[in-house]
Amino acid sequence: HKQRGVALMVMLVILVMGLAAALVGSLSTTALKNARQETTAAVLAQAKDALLGRAVSDDNMPGSLPCPDLLTDISGTNVPNDGVADLLSGNDCPSYVGRLPWRTLGLPDLRDGNGERLWYALSPAFRDDNSAQPLNSNTKGTLLVYGADGISLQTEAGYSAVAVIFSPGSPVGSQARSTFAEQNSAANYLDIANSRNNASAAGPFIAGAKSDTFNDQLIFITTRNLMPLVEQRVAGVVKK
């Protein structure tokens, strides 16, 4: 009887230790996820501020933004994924979705919580080229962003996004990021949910619910965010 009692105590101790280890592991995983989300939120906000600052301070065309970094390939000066905005192809950006041009914006090499560089979509009307329509308080963004519930996040007419910044997170589904070609394909970083495709230059985009096939996080800039700042800058110039 005494031996059976000791064995029971040992089993109980092992069970408690196992439960404690599982709880600590769960807490550690949760803490890691929270830390990654905080890092991602911080770099997305930093990128948004940099884009707003760049648009307001542009002397050639206040309110305009640089092309994404994806396709321009000139050895030694501007290559894909170097943080430098693509050069215009004629009067257009080579692609209106690509990586955030962090060097062009004067930023450090921003990475999300999973260590990936940020991606960026631009409304063509706000490209930094004189062929674009004049930028003023009537200029509207053209990029639509939807929430996980399928409802547009731009609830007021005319305030669609000028730019959308994405954190791609870790690979999901069939995404592959090993070769140069794979690394230069938006579809291997940006996800699809509810028939909304974040890898499509024209959108519509989605801030979807996290799942095994979707883990993008995003932030966006609307004309309502941007143009009042541009107007203040231009008014200051006129006043001087």
Side-chain angles (χ1 to χ4, degrees), residues 27-178:
L27 292 174
S28 298
T29 301
T30 300
L32 180 60
K33 287 181 179 179
N34 290 340
R36 285 176 175 170
Q37 288 180 352
E38 289 175 5
T39 297
T40 296
V43 297
L44 286 172
Q46 187 176 359
K48 178 177 179 177
D49 287 344
L51 285 169
L52 287 170
R54 163 63 168 73
V56 171
S57 63
D58 188 287
D59 289 328
N60 177 57
M61 194 174 181
S64 65
L65 289 167
C67 295
D69 167 25
L70 188 70
L71 295 178
T72 298
D73 194 354
I74 304 173
S75 180
T77 60
N78 189 337
V79 297
N81 198 18
D82 64 348
V84 178
D86 281 353
L87 299 178
L88 290 162
S89 177
N91 297 119
D92 283 294
C93 294
S95 173
Y96 283 98
V97 64
R99 287 186 174 88
L100 183 78
W102 52 273
R103 289 186 193 274
T104 301
L105 295 170
L107 289 169
D109 185 3
L110 297 182
R111 304 287 180 125
D112 66 14
N114 290 92
E116 295 288 355
R117 285 179 170 144
L118 303 182
W119 287 68
Y120 157 68
L122 174 66
S123 179
F126 287 82
R127 67 189 184 277
D128 191 7
D129 186 72
N130 292 332
S131 67
Q133 65 188 56
L135 295 178
N136 53 49
S137 57
N138 293 322
T139 310
K140 307 300 181 186
T142 58
L143 306 179
L144 295 176
V145 183
Y146 290 85
D149 56 4
I151 297 176
S152 174
L153 297 180
Q154 300 104 332
T155 56
E156 296 185 47
Y159 290 111
S160 296
V162 170
V164 184
I165 311 156
F166 304 92
S167 155
S170 57
V172 295
S174 61
Q175 290 176 341
R177 303 175 183 176
S178 299

Side-chain angles (χ1 to χ4, degrees), residues 7-29:
L8 183 61
M9 289 297 295
V10 171
M11 291 177 63
L12 182 60
V13 170
I14 293 173
L15 178 61
V16 170
M17 290 176 65
L19 291 173
L23 178 60
V24 170
S26 176
L27 292 174
S28 298
T29 301

